[in-house]
Amino acid sequence: MKNNIKTLRKAQKFSQDELAQAAGVTRQTINAIENDKYDPSLELAFKLASILLVRVDELFLWHKENL
Amino acid sequence: MKNNIKTLRKAQKFSQDELAQAAGVTRQTINAIENDKYDPSLELAFKLASILLVRVDELFLWHKENL
DNA sequence: TAAAAATGTCAAAGTTGTTTTACTTTTTAT
DNA sequence: ATAAAAAGTAAAACAACTTTGACATTTTTA
């Protein structure tokens, strides 16, 4: 699933590591998600959205056709 | 994490099994999520929100204090 | 231009989410 | 009151997400 994490993170001048620490995960987790290696858990998705000041459905782009 | 699945599902007169099939998972998965045994994946959260015609952040109630 | 910071990547181990099968209990409808 | 449908539950196996530790590459800054 696509996401806007990298864009929003840079807009707030966070490094991957800073965002990771703010969300309570490791740098590798943020890196993997930004590079579409896998999707975060729902819990982490909410934390990231909260930190980046957007809603989950704004941070992650999900398309019905996947249904 | 709390959610409104049971309420919205009943409002649309779906059984757990019907909702499960619509979302492409098993009945047990829906049952476990409704009863707060665990949270769904982000992907499944989006599917359920889509089927139940609400946003992810309306279907699942996440509180900042968990951060 | 060299050092420092940030990012990319990988494998193994650990944790969490999902399926399958099966059985029990509760709710709905006849 | 009974049968059928729906919901609850549990263990084992499997799949997906996260951590840890390590090292390579790219970008930034002094």
Side-chain angles (χ1 to χ4, degrees):
Chain A
M1 191 186 322
K2 286 283 170 207
N3 69 71
N4 303 138
I5 296 175
K6 183 174 291 186
T7 304
L8 291 165
R9 173 177 62 77
K10 285 185 170 170
Q12 301 196 207
K13 302 214 190 294
F14 286 138
S15 67
Q16 290 182 344
D17 193 46
E18 287 169 329
L19 177 56
Q21 287 185 229
V25 295
T26 64
R27 179 179 76 74
Q28 287 86 336
T29 295
I30 298 300
N31 185 68
I33 295 167
E34 283 191 354
N35 291 295
D36 291 314
K37 298 295 169 48
Y38 51 73
D39 294 328
S41 66
L42 182 59
E43 174 81 20
L44 180 50
F46 268 105
K47 284 183 184 172
L48 293 172
S50 169
I51 294 165
L52 297 172
L53 307 173
V54 293
R55 289 196 312 267
V56 168
D57 64 284
E58 294 173 309
L59 190 53
F60 298 90
L61 294 316
W62 179 82
H63 295 292
K64 222 185 225 64
E65 52 267 25
N66 298 332
L67 229 178
Chain B
M1 192 185 322
K2 285 284 171 206
N3 69 71
N4 303 136
I5 296 175
K6 183 175 289 185
T7 304
L8 290 166
R9 173 177 62 78
K10 285 184 171 170
Q12 301 195 206
K13 302 216 190 293
F14 286 137
S15 67
Q16 290 183 343
D17 194 46
E18 287 169 330
L19 177 55
Q21 287 185 229
V25 295
T26 64
R27 179 179 76 72
Q28 286 84 339
T29 295
I30 298 301
N31 185 67
I33 295 166
E34 283 191 355
N35 291 295
D36 291 315
K37 298 294 170 47
Y38 51 73
D39 294 327
S41 66
L42 182 59
E43 174 81 19
L44 180 50
F46 268 105
K47 284 183 184 172
L48 294 172
S50 168
I51 294 165
L52 296 172
L53 306 173
V54 293
R55 289 196 311 267
V56 168
D57 63 285
E58 294 173 309
L59 190 53
F60 298 90
L61 294 315
W62 179 83
H63 295 293
K64 223 185 225 61
E65 52 268 23
N66 299 331
L67 231 180

